[in-house]
Amino acid sequence: MNNIKPLNEELIKSHVEHLKKLKSQGKLVLCGPFTDYPGGMVVFLAEDLAEAMNIAKADPFIASGCKSFEIRTLESANDENNYLL
């Protein structure tokens, strides 16, 4: 997410509730603001690009127009796939 307009306390609380909902659904992987760059990141699990777009657009930061977003997909490298070798 990238900053566009200032946030207020009510909007931040709504964003946190959105994150808690994603966590309760087993979709939230990690989230937080960048410490060396404006904006932040939310990493979540989605079945497909359409679901990912819906999750992102439902975030109050995005819905309010205070932040923009980019969707990135990631292929996980791990022991099970020999780190993609």
Side-chain angles (χ1 to χ4, degrees), residues 12-70:
I12 294 168
K13 287 179 180 180
S14 294
H15 169 71
V16 170
E17 289 304 313
H18 176 71
L19 297 174
K20 288 179 179 180
K21 181 180 176 186
L22 290 176
K23 182 179 178 183
S24 73
Q25 295 170 344
K27 294 187 180 294
L28 183 64
V29 176
L30 65 92
C31 60
F34 297 128
T35 58
D36 63 344
Y37 189 82
M41 183 183 296
V42 177
V43 178
F44 56 84
L45 302 172
E47 291 294 320
D48 54 31
L49 185 56
E51 182 186 12
M53 292 292 287
N54 289 337
I55 290 170
K57 289 178 179 179
D59 189 312
F61 282 175
I62 303 304
S64 69
C66 288
K67 290 187 180 267
S68 63
F69 71 96
E70 295 178 53

